[in-house]
Amino acid sequence: MGKIRRFLIALAGKKYLEEQLKRRQGKCQRCGACCQLVFRCPFLEGKNKCLIYENRLAQCRAFPIDERCLKEVGNTCGFYFKEE
C-alpha cells in the first residue's frame, strides 16, 4: 500500500506533501532501498545506481514523504523528520 499511497500523495496531495517536505531533514544516501519496495525499479542498475536520478519521477523525488515511508525502508535512509 505504501507505493500506491506515495503515488497518490505526489499526484494529488500537494499540501500534505509540502508540509512534510518542510519537516524532512538529511539527504539521500543513494542506498536503493526505496527503489526496491514492492518490486525492483526498472531504472535501478546494479545494487543502487538510478539511471534517471536527475530526472526521476515525482514520487521518487518526494521519498520519504513521511515517517511511514522510513519505516518501510528501515535504517538505511539518510532522511529523518524533525518534530512539528
Side-chain angles (χ1 to χ4, degrees):
M1 289 304 294
K3 204 169 213 67
I4 295 168
R5 182 180 64 84
R6 283 187 294 280
F7 174 75
L8 293 174
I9 290 172
L11 184 67
K14 301 293 184 192
K15 183 175 180 178
Y16 179 76
L17 179 60
E18 288 172 9
E19 290 170 0
Q20 294 305 305
L21 293 181
K22 287 178 188 175
R23 295 182 49 234
R24 189 173 77 182
Q25 303 290 302
K27 67 177 195 170
C28 178
Q29 300 295 318
R30 298 189 76 170
C31 66
C34 59
C35 303
Q36 299 180 61
L37 292 172
V38 182
F39 61 88
R40 183 178 171 82
C41 177
F43 299 111
L44 190 63
E45 181 179 74
K47 287 192 176 191
N48 61 356
K49 183 179 180 186
C50 177
L51 297 175
I52 61 167
Y53 189 80
E54 298 302 322
N55 300 306
R56 63 199 183 279
L57 304 170
Q59 65 264 28
C60 297
R61 283 192 308 273
F63 190 90
I65 292 174
D66 53 27
E67 290 91 346
R68 289 181 280 184
C69 296
L70 292 178
K71 288 179 184 176
E72 292 182 58
V73 294
N75 294 330
T76 60
C77 191
F79 288 108
Y80 63 95
F81 289 86
K82 64 182 179 182
E83 294 298 319
E84 296 181 67

